Amino acid sequence: MAGDSHHPERSAVAELADDFVSGLREWLTIPSIGVDPAHHADVHRSARWLADRLRADGWPEVEVWDHGPALPAVYACWPAEDPGAPAVLVYGHHDVQPVDPVERWQHPPFEPVLSGDELYGRGASDDKGQVAMHLLGVKAHLSATGQNAPSVTLKLFVEGEEESGSPHLRKLLEDHRDDLGCDLVVFTDTALHERDAPTVNTGQRGVLGGEITFFGGTDDVHSGRAGGAIPNPATALARLVAALHDEHGRVQLPGFYDDVREPSEQERADYAALPFDERKWLAHNGGGAQALAGEPGYTTFERLWVRPTAEVNGISGGYTGPGLKTIIPASATAKLSFRLVPDQLPENVAGQLREFVAKHTPEGIRAEVSFRGTGVPPYAISPDHPANEAVRKAFELAFDQPVRFARAGGSGPAAVLQAWLGVPLVYLGATLPDDRVHAPNERVVLPLLLKGAEAAAHLWRMLAGEDVAMRLTR
């Protein structure tokens, strides 16, 4: 990991790399599984660890927000020497996913193992590694510039509930609006396209989860005594599920595509230029699926990033044990999820699903439709935004190659942050889609994190430049 005198930021990152890895490994030993109440004390311990690390790094303002119902979040601020400099808020999270099935881990999930350039452990990629990457980026920026304070006012907001769907994020934003006020948000929880094809993310799809239950009667009944004479809720639900898409794979909810924003021609060109190996993608990202499928007229990347979807996550009803039980079930349930794109709103799609279910509920069946929370809105920012251009230039300096724009098919609280804070949001992360986040043997590629830290160090200098700063703060 030798330094490069052409970029003082790179040399600074290289000098600090060993301490960075050591600190990250220590943080990863804390099992901060926020979705498990048995580990809530560990989430508190993780927050305290991060706060102590920030103070040791010289951040002058550090707080742990552990009041109220939310699991602890960490806030820090390092004001720029220039009071007119832009204020930038870096968002991340320190809670991690459960580790089940633990028997599939090659090493204990909270005993980090370094294998070559890869660090294995829960949270290595999602999201402790990327939060630590930004801490390193600040130190490298100060070292490279010789300054005692960053070129922009930097704020850090690291929540402890992202893996639980950020249920109290809006309350935190409301309670701490003044603290979190900024001119730009930088979102850490994002990945590159490939190790050798770095990209800058410009958006994430939203998500809405729902459940449909069809009720026929109050009890399961003998299929010989009642079959053919009463409605079967499992059969009726199967018909509804089959009607969810047409023969071309387009979603049949009324008005589903009315608000969909099409990508720009430049975005489509960027997606088309990215490397894509169908067989490799199916094996690593498609769960071993045998073939591609999806909405006609769009590439795989476009289907993943800029087109909305309706997916059946599970169907249950009646007897599913060994052997036969000849019944007509009293009820059947389908769990659905919708990935949404700008400018679709979860509440509108919820109404569309209710209308669709009402149309496809036969006589003699009672339908119930419920939703898992209020959903997560989608978010996208124009690649032409000056902050986005600065992020791309910072990445090109760090990776020594051209960088294209992409989007993410998954979801996160980007739209919530942008809406509450009322400022643009850009993405800066350096992990990979195959880091096995949320799965056994999560890992992160350390050289990519170091390049991400270098890009962040470049970015803080660039955002203080007169042209970008004026366009952010005006």
Side-chain angles (χ1 to χ4, degrees), residues 207-212 240 244 251-259 336 338 340 344-361 369-375:
V207 66
L208 175 69
E211 184 171 296
I212 304 166
L240 179 147
L244 191 59
V251 180
Q252 294 302 287
L253 269 59
F256 186 71
Y257 295 97
D258 288 354
D259 298 324
L336 309 177
F338 300 86
L340 312 179
Q344 292 179 302
L345 297 177
E347 56 266 32
N348 291 348
V349 175
Q352 294 164 5
L353 179 62
R354 292 186 186 279
E355 183 178 345
F356 176 83
V357 171
K359 180 180 178 181
H360 290 83
T361 302
V369 182
S370 60
F371 296 95
R372 188 170 60 251
T374 58

Side-chain angles (χ1 to χ4, degrees), residues 68 144 168 178 190 207 219 249 256 356 360 396 415:
H168 300 102
D178 291 342
T190 183
V207 66
D219 299 290
F256 186 71
F356 176 83
H360 290 83
E396 289 179 342

